[in-house]
Amino acid sequence: MGSKLSWILVFLILIPTGECKRIAGEGCTSQDLMGLTRFKAAIHVDTSGRLETWVGRHCCKWDGVYCNNRTGRVSEIRLPGFLSTDDFIAQTQMEGWLSPSITLLGSLEVLDLGGLISLAGTIPSSIGFHLPKLRKLYLYSNNLTGPVPLSIGKLSRLEEIHLHENLLTGSIPASIGILQNLNRLLLYSNRLSGPIPESITNLTNLVSLDLHGNSLTGHIPVKIGALQVLKELDLSDNLLGGKLPLSVTNLTAILVLYLDTNLLEGEIPFPSISGEMPSLGFLRLNDNHLTGRIPSNIGNLVSLRRMSLANNRLEGPIPSTLGNVLSVTEIYLDKNRLSGQIPNSIGRLSQLMHLSISNNLIEGPLPSEMSSLHYLQELDLSFNALNLSSIPKWLGRMPSLCRVFLAGAGIQGNFPELLRTTPSPLLELDLSFNHLTGIIPEWLGSLTQLYSLNLSRNSLVSKIPSTVRSLCDLGVLDLHSNKLSGPIDVVFQIESRFSEGSLSYIDLSDNHFSGKIEQIGTGPQSKIGFLNLSHNYLISRLPGSIGKLVSMRSLDLSYNKLGFGLPESLANVSSLEKLKLQRNRFTGEIPNGFLKLRALKELDLSDNLLVGRIPDGEPISDFPRSSFSGNRGLCGKPLSPC
Ligand SMILES: *[C@@H]1O[C@H](CO)[C@@H](O)[C@H](O)[C@H]1NC(C)=O
Ligand SMILES: *[C@@H]1O[C@H](CO)[C@@H](O)[C@H](O)[C@H]1NC(C)=O
Ligand SMILES: *[C@@H]1O[C@H](CO)[C@@H](O)[C@H](O)[C@H]1NC(C)=O
Ligand SMILES: *[C@@H]1O[C@H](CO)[C@@H](O)[C@H](O)[C@H]1NC(C)=O
Ligand SMILES: *[C@@H]1O[C@H](CO)[C@@H](O)[C@H](O)[C@H]1NC(C)=O
Ligand SMILES: *[C@@H]1O[C@H](CO)[C@@H](O)[C@H](O)[C@H]1NC(C)=O
Ligand SMILES: *[C@@H]1O[C@H](CO)[C@@H](O)[C@H](O)[C@H]1NC(C)=O
Ligand SMILES: *[C@@H]1O[C@H](CO)[C@@H](O)[C@H](O)[C@H]1NC(C)=O
């Protein structure tokens, strides 16, 4: 790995930068030289090799150093950790400290050390007194500690502050509000605390403000609606957590406001008037403690594309003015206390692709206007007070809908036939916690693109139809707590489109399944990580092929009628963290090989017919007595000596 990286870097370094950084004369000023030399001295490992070129007096020729060709002073340091060209990408490292001597470079306009993930130290507290020309400060994705210095407010030419993804503490200095030229303020994923200074509402050129992933408290600045500019948004970083839909391709003229995962409280104070924040494109206020209603002026945010207000304490209705936000593609309002009905006006949101309002107090019926949401792919209305009785017919005809989450929606009767012929193949279906009765239909097998199926907590009574074998993309199958019966083996025969199976999560617990487990581990190379077959009537032995489920982390077969010896091969499932086999009829000794299950954190073998000495050693004999109780024949630590 190391040698491959340096090989890549040889090529990178040989690529001409194409930038003119020549400078005549006898070299750099001694002040610039001292600043750079001390910077280099504080770095003890540089996997990019760039600092090796830092010798002599002609610092303007050094890698990553750029000078003003009039004054000869160093104007830019560009040493980003992540290097990419059309042909190569590489993450390089500089281990060491950010030297405070960087402040000797008095003509510096750009400081880019972004992505050097091992660069430790603090942002020099005097930075504001010494770098008056600084326009761009890129110290993101480093390992910097300490505060954002107060003196930053003196850097009046600053246009961009990228300090995200560090370990910065303290509060955001109010002095930032003086930086009239600032258009990007990215402080996300740090440990900043205290309030958001009201002074940031002074930053009228701000295009992007991202403070998410801190511990900020207090209210959202009342006048934040005064921030209203159009500018380009650079999304080269993982700003949106990788969730940006592919269809959002025009990202010019978008203002980002991220304030999530803090603990902000109070009401959403914007937009207070029509015409405020006309270019706001992405709004994330999720995971806070915001209260009050969703402002009805929200309809004035005409550029809004993606909005999350999820996981707050918002109450009252969803304002019908939301129907004016015509360019919105994603709305997340889950986990609030919103009530009333979904407004009819929602049908006007012709670009909407994702709508999530789960875990609120929304009442039914659903407005039929929703049927005109032609681009809607994902609809999550789980756990509201919908009391739908049945899924509305129009829902089965929505042209793009492929992810449907209607758990706890009061749906009654048979498995909805209208899902058989949806225009877009279903990928995810959650009808758990409803009142479905009758059978799981054979035609389920025709939903061949299904990835996730959750029918748990209903009153379904059939066998698992043999057609499920053709669900070759199925990854998650949750049928727990129904009255399903018959054999379960068909689940382990699910064909896969790939050499490795897709199935990773299977919960068939708390049903009336019976018969033997024979086909387990015989299918395609298994990815099953979670398997729960507990509380059924499964009989006979556990086949040795179970040892082929090498990705398994949680196995629960408790409360069945399984018997015979515990298969030795289970010892091969080294990723196993939970093993629950209690309340069965297993006989024989606990295989000594179980000592290989080093990842095991929970073990329950109680109430079986096991005998002999408990394997002596970690992790097995460290479990409490209750893990082994109810087996008359067992002895040794933690039970009484043999
Ligand atoms: C350097 O000089 C060239 C012309 O000689 C000019 O076009 C360019 O803008 C200058 N660059 C800087 C950074 O001053
Ligand atoms: C960042 O610093 C912490 C100690 O403050 C250290 O444990 C961690 O390994 C460092 N991270 C990197 C990537 O160097
Ligand atoms: C707001 O900006 C003005 C300059 O336009 C400045 O004089 C004032 O101090 C700033 N206010 C705050 C609170 O930073
Ligand atoms: C993207 O948006 C900008 C600003 O709204 C607009 O000028 C431009 O024409 C749009 N580009 C495309 C390809 O739609
Ligand atoms: C749900 O709807 C049914 C009729 O469809 C009605 O009998 C029942 O009372 C409703 N439940 C609630 C909690 O409103
Ligand atoms: C299926 O739904 C139930 C009840 O709604 C939920 O508790 C469970 O976590 C879901 N299963 C999966 C795999 O998400
Ligand atoms: C397996 O399912 C049962 C019944 O549904 C549940 O009580 C148990 O917690 C589940 N086991 C695991 C490991 O999740
Ligand atoms: C465990 O895996 C190894 C290597 O795949 C295999 O040789 C061995 O037979 C397995 N042990 C058991 C008991 O199945």
Side-chain angles (χ1 to χ4, degrees), residues 20 67-70 75:
C20 173
C67 296
N68 180 309
N69 50 8
R70 198 169 38 80
S75 60

Side-chain angles (χ1 to χ4, degrees), residues 93-95 116-120 142-145 167 191:
Q93 297 248 25
M94 286 194 190
E95 281 171 31
L116 297 170
I117 57 172
S118 299
L119 186 66
N142 297 147
N143 209 5
L144 301 175
T145 50
L167 307 169
R191 295 170 183 179

Side-chain angles (χ1 to χ4, degrees), residues 160-197:
E160 300 188 15
I161 299 180
H162 296 198
L163 298 177
H164 48 278
E165 297 178 314
N166 277 293
L167 307 169
L168 300 173
T169 49
S171 52
I172 302 174
S175 59
I176 266 180
I178 305 166
L179 303 175
Q180 282 299 305
N181 295 314
L182 205 60
N183 54 53
R184 288 198 165 81
L185 178 57
L186 309 184
L187 301 176
Y188 64 87
S189 299
N190 275 293
R191 295 170 183 179
L192 298 168
S193 53
I196 301 174

Side-chain angles (χ1 to χ4, degrees), residues 189-209:
S189 299
N190 275 293
R191 295 170 183 179
L192 298 168
S193 53
I196 301 174
E198 191 68 40
S199 66
I200 65 156
T201 63
N202 214 9
L203 299 173
T204 48
N205 287 311
L206 213 54
V207 172
S208 180
L209 173 62

Side-chain angles (χ1 to χ4, degrees), residues 287-350:
D287 298 285
N288 279 295
H289 287 169
L290 299 172
T291 51
R293 295 169 168 235
I294 300 176
S296 61
N297 281 338
I298 197 132
N300 298 334
L301 299 176
V302 290
S303 303
L304 204 59
R305 297 198 169 201
R306 187 168 187 254
M307 168 172 85
S308 179
L309 306 178
N311 206 9
N312 277 290
R313 295 167 183 178
L314 299 168
E315 57 190 23
I318 299 172
S320 61
T321 52
L322 192 63
N324 297 339
V325 186
L326 295 177
S327 39
V328 77
T329 60
E330 295 179 43
I331 298 177
Y332 300 92
L333 301 174
D334 354 15
K335 296 195 188 137
N336 279 291
R337 297 165 189 169
L338 300 170
S339 55
Q341 295 181 336
I342 297 178
N344 302 344
S345 62
I346 202 142
R348 301 180 55 206
L349 303 179
S350 59

